[in-house]
Amino acid sequence: MPFGNTHNNFKLNFKVEEEYPDLTKHNNHMAKVLTKEMYGKLRDKQTPSGFTVDDVIQTGVDNPGHPFIMTVGCVAGDEESYEVFKDLFDPIIKDRHGGYKPTDKHATDLNFENLKGGDDLDPNYVLSSRVRTGRSIKGYTLPPHNSRGERRAIEKLSVEALTSLDGEFKGTYYPLKSMTDAEQDQLINDHFLFDKPVSPLLTCAGMARDWPDGRGIWHNDDKSFLVWVNEEDHLRVISMQKAGNMREVFRRFCVGLKRIEEIFQKHNHGFMWNEHLGYVLTCPSNLGTGLRGGVHVKLPKLSTHPKFDEILKRLRLQKRGTGGVDTASVGGVFDISNADRLGSSEVAQVQLVVDGVKLMVEMEKKLEKGESVDKMIPAQK
Amino acid sequence: MMASFTRLIAGRNPAVLLASLGAGTVAAGVLLSDSSALSAEGKKSLYPPSADFPDLRKHNNCMAAALTPAIYAKLRDRVTPQNWTLDQSIQTGVDNPGHPFIKTVGCVAGDEESYEVFAELFDPIIKDRHNGYDPRTMTHPTDLDASKITNGVFDEKYVLSSRVRTGRSIRGLSLPPACSRSERREVERVVVTALAGLKGELTGRYYSLGDMTEQEQQQLIDDHFLFDKPVSPLLTCAFMARDWPDARGIWHNNEKNFLIWVNEEDHTRVISMEKGGNMKRVFERFCSGLKQVEQLIHERGWEFMWNERLGYILTCPSNLGTGLRAGVHVRLPNLSKDTRFSKILDNLRLQKRGTGGVDTAATGDTFDISNNDRLGKSEVELVQMLVDGVNYLIDCEKRLEKGQDIKVPSPVAQFKK
């Protein structure tokens, strides 16, 4: 948020108790972790670009959360946030990412050939396959914090990089603020268009400022690879197609990412990455791979099985409705994707999706025949 | 923009080059950022004002009409003593392009000094919004002597309720867009302490939004007193809903005809209201209550933000001067169908709203009719204009009932534009 360092210095005139937020009714990772003492320790710090602890936590203060859904409740404003506010981020990261320690190292593996199988998910059940991640461009601050000038520079650089792609990646950029009605309709029909964020989780973190300035969508002519510019992250990279060839989706994902990264590096603006946190993104929940690989799959019987949620948990997968996060499933069709982001590689996470979905489709078929699936319930992965 | 981009890709910033060599550990990240182009000074040269100037081509609000690249360049790097910036003031106007038919203001003040530090932007906006009022050359009259009001009791066959509201800001504390939690809590403390000193017909109590019981909440809703967390993007994009409901609350007297909102869109909103048509009494209570509250905060060393150029200082420039909206809920079944209705309201310097308040539609034949103006005329003048105007509207309604014709009145005098 553009409150930054200067206003922060003024706030230091007031006592810690006076400034410490009231988190008594809150249920999010930030509220669990941020004590008054920690707040007192962090409040006079700022990153070099002027992002402060209040900027980090505002979204968590404004959104107390739900007893059943544990949101993160904080964001990074730049790469250095995760270092300057380590005391706050490390325990949140540990809690959110299965015990990941400050000393742990994250493995990146975008070598699609390491994936086993994945090209034979039954298209009678698996309607579509998709892999997405985010990337932040080094040298710029992140969506909660960046100025219009920075956001436009990110867009300009991204467009240069993307429009230089060729072959299967040849495509076009559609800036949100100047697209025609016809283009808009087409992008909606293709399920590509992203909207101005309405979720208060995002708006309270300052991510919708100046909409739609500097925002846009790029996609290849085949409509199988697309990039969102300046939505919740600098870039969201998505590879998708109908039916169940996750292997192909992942191949295109890895190849495309690599090509894009090369171009950014040539311009001295590689992606934000380090060996502890992997790819650095706005929300701590997306650190590591930032990868959500998933399918839309028909599981009308399995989804009503009493052990469905337990099965997902053991497979390290999560379910969502077909509208994406925070939506309900329609007609027994679920969005099934990996739950992990940090501490395992891209290949490993997509492998879990491939293996897990394959197993669940087998279970669905068994249930269709009226057979039991109890013996198929997997061990915890 | 092309220029800054070329500078980026041709940049010889050693920090950036280091980063591209894959110095990926976090420690190196922190080191290189010390000299990175992201520091405040560096940003100024990499991102000159022209790079940051908002795209306002599709916008229709007072800020977009007034903000030129030259003004932006001059003001972008200034800060108020509380370190509030121009970009923060205009964010709401950038994020809400507006509607071709409705011209919103599009900017807010973060503190009292905003109106001075960013005068090059605020002055033309004030002029635009307040009928040509020029803060550089004109002074605003304050007059809270309710005894001067004449003909202030309306025919209750038509007027269902009467209400006067204004806002007051506590000098020395930042306004809702900018305030920190401690400042907001201080506003609450100052105001609630003062209100506890009110006596007689003004004796009352405070209900903190965060602590009220379900029952209290329901009662306040039934009384039409409760305010909600703002959902209008005009307010949320101006950072006014932060930390909700911390330090927000409602105070009202036991008679339920005098109430104060704490830390909603302004530090305080002061409201006097009652059923029926006795606007004079509503205004008397309003003035008396305001004076008493002011006295009580003076006793503790505080005062309201006020100056003779701009009158009472409030968050939105549209509420400067008196911050006063005096209005009635009035039934005008015949007049509202007359094609001259809008013109009559215009000339009387009145506005109509639905009975749900701003941006709502009227239900049936009942309208919320109130004064348009806020700045350049005193409270007494504005309430008298409202009184005279409503009496005129009722007269028109009565004539139309009898099948007589009505006249569009001549326009009330304004300042020169």
Side-chain angles (χ1 to χ4, degrees):
Chain A
M1 284 288 266
F3 275 25
N5 50 336
T6 49
H7 190 80
N8 201 55
N9 292 340
F10 169 70
K11 278 189 270 182
L12 295 176
N13 294 325
F14 299 90
K15 297 205 272 278
V16 177
E17 303 72 77
E18 288 301 312
E19 283 294 343
Y20 180 65
D22 181 351
L23 301 172
T24 48
K25 298 198 175 109
H26 287 59
N27 183 45
N28 57 50
H29 286 291
M30 179 280 292
K32 271 175 79 173
V33 156
L34 186 73
T35 60
K36 191 166 64 154
E37 290 64 43
M38 185 187 287
Y39 181 75
K41 193 172 168 210
L42 296 178
R43 72 174 188 141
D44 61 354
K45 299 201 194 313
Q46 63 205 27
T47 67
S49 74
F51 206 65
T52 67
V53 74
D54 276 330
D55 294 330
V56 171
I57 67 173
Q58 191 66 55
T59 178
V61 177
D62 289 344
N63 296 289
H66 190 277
F68 301 161
I69 299 171
M70 188 83 155
T71 47
V72 175
C74 62
V75 291
D78 49 26
E79 189 165 13
E80 296 84 353
S81 295
Y82 288 106
E83 188 54 37
V84 173
F85 304 112
K86 240 176 124 40
D87 291 349
L88 174 63
F89 279 112
D90 281 353
I92 290 173
I93 287 167
K94 192 172 182 195
D95 199 2
R96 181 69 177 205
H97 293 286
Y100 195 79
K101 298 192 290 296
T103 49
D104 284 340
K105 302 263 187 283
H106 171 81
T108 292
D109 182 359
L110 283 159
N111 193 341
F112 68 90
E113 279 164 7
N114 290 340
L115 184 71
K116 301 195 204 26
D119 54 355
D120 59 351
L121 298 174
D122 190 336
N124 292 313
Y125 295 84
V126 178
L127 307 176
S128 58
S129 307
R130 179 186 189 266
V131 179
R132 70 86 161 150
T133 189
R135 290 291 186 265
S136 307
I137 304 168
K138 247 178 140 51
Y140 299 105
T141 59
L142 298 173
H145 194 42
N146 54 24
S147 66
R148 283 179 290 273
E150 281 192 285
R151 203 184 297 112
R152 291 162 178 169
I154 291 162
E155 182 190 33
K156 195 122 195 170
L157 189 54
S158 303
V159 172
E160 283 264 338
L162 294 167
T163 52
S164 72
L165 297 173
D166 59 12
E168 60 171 329
F169 297 109
K170 186 167 173 309
T172 313
Y173 181 67
Y174 301 89
L176 242 57
K177 70 175 166 182
S178 53
M179 67 174 61
T180 65
D181 280 344
E183 287 167 343
Q184 185 173 306
D185 285 340
Q186 188 59 57
L187 288 164
I188 291 172
N189 290 337
D190 293 329
H191 304 289
F192 283 174
L193 190 63
F194 64 91
D195 261 327
K196 177 169 177 176
V198 291
S199 164
L201 301 178
L202 299 184
T203 55
C204 293
M207 292 196 240
R209 287 173 300 126
D210 314 313
W211 203 274
D213 199 321
R215 276 87 168 187
I217 293 171
W218 177 95
H219 70 77
N220 66 351
D221 295 340
D222 292 339
K223 294 189 181 176
S224 57
F225 190 74
L226 70 142
V227 178
W228 292 350
V229 179
N230 284 320
E231 193 233 12
E232 184 184 331
D233 282 294
H234 288 169
L235 305 172
R236 283 288 178 94
V237 179
I238 301 151
S239 169
M240 59 199 256
Q241 67 192 53
K242 292 243 181 278
N245 195 344
M246 180 60 92
R247 189 182 181 81
E248 171 60 15
V249 168
F250 189 53
R251 180 204 67 79
R252 192 170 47 244
F253 176 81
C254 294
V255 172
L257 262 178
K258 200 146 190 257
R259 301 266 294 269
I260 295 170
E261 182 160 24
E262 279 162 11
I263 301 170
F264 276 100
Q265 272 169 343
K266 258 198 289 205
H267 290 314
N268 298 328
H269 278 284
F271 295 145
M272 289 183 199
W273 178 94
N274 65 60
E275 57 182 5
H276 167 53
L277 295 177
Y279 287 101
V280 175
L281 294 172
T282 303
C283 182
S285 70
N286 281 322
L287 290 166
T289 61
L291 186 143
R292 194 171 89 85
V295 298
H296 281 188
V297 57
K298 283 198 279 207
L299 298 172
K301 294 198 149 35
L302 185 60
S303 57
T304 55
H305 191 285
K307 289 248 163 83
F308 184 49
D309 286 339
E310 176 64 21
I311 291 165
L312 287 172
K313 184 165 166 287
R314 292 189 187 188
L315 293 173
R316 310 198 66 79
L317 299 176
Q318 61 172 216
K319 71 178 193 248
R320 297 182 184 192
T322 48
V325 67
D326 298 328
T327 65
S329 99
V330 172
V333 180
F334 285 82
D335 175 319
I336 301 291
S337 62
N338 54 299
D340 305 323
R341 304 271 185 274
L342 178 62
S344 54
S345 75
E346 289 81 354
V347 167
Q349 288 168 9
V350 175
Q351 192 70 64
L352 283 172
V353 175
V354 160
D355 296 346
V357 170
K358 200 162 184 189
L359 176 64
M360 290 198 292
V361 169
E362 296 302 311
M363 291 170 91
E364 179 71 22
K365 288 173 174 170
K366 269 238 156 46
L367 289 171
E368 275 172 21
K369 295 196 217 131
E371 295 169 17
S372 156
V373 293
D374 289 346
K375 296 210 176 76
M376 294 172 77
I377 293 176
Q380 180 67 54
K381 294 219 176 295
Chain B
M1 266 207 291
M2 196 57 207
S4 55
F5 173 66
T6 333
R7 236 176 294 146
L8 279 171
I9 53 167
R12 300 201 199 295
N13 187 321
V16 175
L17 284 174
L18 242 189
S20 72
L21 291 173
T25 65
V26 175
V30 171
L31 280 175
L32 71 84
S33 63
D34 280 343
S35 58
S36 89
L38 293 174
S39 68
E41 286 314 308
K43 253 198 188 170
K44 278 184 192 174
S45 55
L46 254 193
Y47 300 104
S50 55
D52 272 333
F53 186 73
D55 183 348
L56 302 171
R57 288 171 298 172
K58 295 196 177 120
H59 287 58
N60 181 43
N61 57 52
C62 296
M63 180 278 292
L67 185 70
T68 63
I71 293 176
Y72 184 74
K74 194 165 179 211
L75 300 182
R76 183 191 72 162
D77 298 328
R78 281 197 201 159
V79 290
T80 69
Q82 284 70 243
N83 294 304
W84 178 254
T85 67
L86 180 79
D87 275 325
Q88 289 163 324
S89 286
I90 68 172
Q91 191 67 58
T92 179
V94 177
D95 288 344
N96 296 291
H99 189 276
F101 301 162
I102 301 171
K103 197 166 183 184
T104 47
V105 175
C107 66
V108 292
D111 46 32
E112 187 165 9
E113 294 86 349
S114 296
Y115 288 107
E116 197 51 48
V117 173
F118 307 118
E120 281 100 325
L121 177 63
F122 278 106
D123 285 352
I125 289 174
I126 289 166
K127 217 168 174 186
D128 185 6
R129 180 68 179 205
H130 294 285
N131 313 309
Y133 183 87
D134 185 352
R136 296 289 119 202
T137 58
M138 295 163 76
T139 54
H140 168 80
T142 292
D143 184 356
L144 285 158
D145 180 359
S147 67
K148 294 180 183 161
I149 299 296
T150 59
N151 306 314
V153 183
F154 303 120
D155 186 339
E156 297 199 349
K157 188 162 160 239
Y158 302 89
V159 173
L160 308 176
S161 60
S162 308
R163 180 185 189 263
V164 180
R165 69 85 159 151
T166 189
R168 290 290 185 264
S169 310
I170 309 294
R171 176 162 279 160
L173 296 167
S174 304
L175 296 171
C179 64
S180 69
R181 281 179 289 274
S182 60
E183 289 185 284
R184 199 186 295 114
R185 291 163 180 171
E186 186 69 6
V187 168
E188 186 186 39
R189 243 197 311 276
V190 169
V191 172
V192 172
T193 309
L195 294 172
L198 290 174
K199 301 188 182 36
E201 63 150 0
L202 294 179
T203 312
R205 64 161 280 202
Y206 181 68
Y207 301 85
S208 142
L209 238 60
D211 298 337
M212 66 174 66
T213 66
E214 297 260 338
Q215 258 167 308
E216 288 167 342
Q217 183 173 310
Q218 195 52 52
Q219 187 60 56
L220 288 164
I221 291 172
D222 294 339
D223 292 328
H224 305 289
F225 284 174
L226 190 63
F227 63 91
D228 262 326
K229 177 169 178 177
V231 292
S232 164
L234 300 179
L235 298 184
T236 55
C237 293
F239 321 118
M240 291 196 239
R242 285 173 302 125
D243 314 313
W244 205 272
D246 197 322
R248 273 83 166 194
I250 294 169
W251 179 97
H252 70 78
N253 66 347
N254 297 335
E255 313 283 323
K256 293 190 182 178
N257 50 28
F258 189 69
L259 73 138
I260 294 176
W261 291 352
V262 179
N263 285 318
E264 194 236 10
E265 183 186 332
D266 279 295
H267 283 174
T268 67
R269 283 291 180 91
V270 179
I271 301 152
S272 170
M273 62 198 254
E274 53 182 75
K275 291 241 181 282
N278 199 336
M279 178 58 88
K280 180 156 172 127
R281 186 168 63 205
V282 166
F283 188 51
E284 279 166 350
R285 185 181 312 113
F286 176 83
C287 295
S288 163
L290 270 174
K291 287 205 193 93
Q292 290 182 55
V293 173
E294 185 159 25
Q295 173 63 30
L296 287 161
I297 66 167
H298 278 180
E299 282 166 14
R300 286 167 183 78
W302 297 92
E303 53 183 11
F304 293 141
M305 290 184 196
W306 178 95
N307 68 53
E308 56 175 14
R309 290 187 316 119
L310 297 176
Y312 288 102
I313 305 295
L314 294 173
T315 303
C316 182
S318 70
N319 282 320
L320 290 166
T322 61
L324 186 141
R325 192 170 93 87
V328 296
H329 281 189
V330 57
R331 288 190 327 105
L332 299 168
N334 293 293
L335 182 58
S336 58
K337 295 186 188 61
D338 193 295
T339 51
R340 294 163 286 185
F341 184 40
S342 288
K343 184 80 182 127
I344 292 171
L345 288 175
D346 265 352
N347 286 2
L348 293 173
R349 308 230 33 83
L350 298 177
Q351 59 175 232
K352 71 176 197 265
R353 298 182 182 191
T355 50
V358 69
D359 298 329
T360 66
T363 48
D365 307 312
T366 308
F367 290 82
D368 174 323
I369 302 290
S370 63
N371 54 297
N372 269 340
D373 305 323
R374 306 269 185 272
L375 174 64
K377 288 189 161 66
S378 73
E379 289 81 354
V380 164
E381 288 179 275
L382 292 177
V383 172
Q384 191 62 60
M385 271 169 66
L386 181 274
V387 162
D388 295 344
V390 170
N391 280 326
Y392 192 91
L393 295 175
I394 292 173
D395 190 63
C396 287
E397 180 66 28
K398 285 175 171 166
R399 285 173 182 268
L400 290 172
E401 272 172 22
K402 295 191 209 133
Q404 294 168 358
D405 197 17
I406 57 175
K407 262 197 335 207
V408 174
S410 358
V412 170
Q414 297 179 54
F415 339 107
K416 282 193 278 280
K417 284 214 186 228

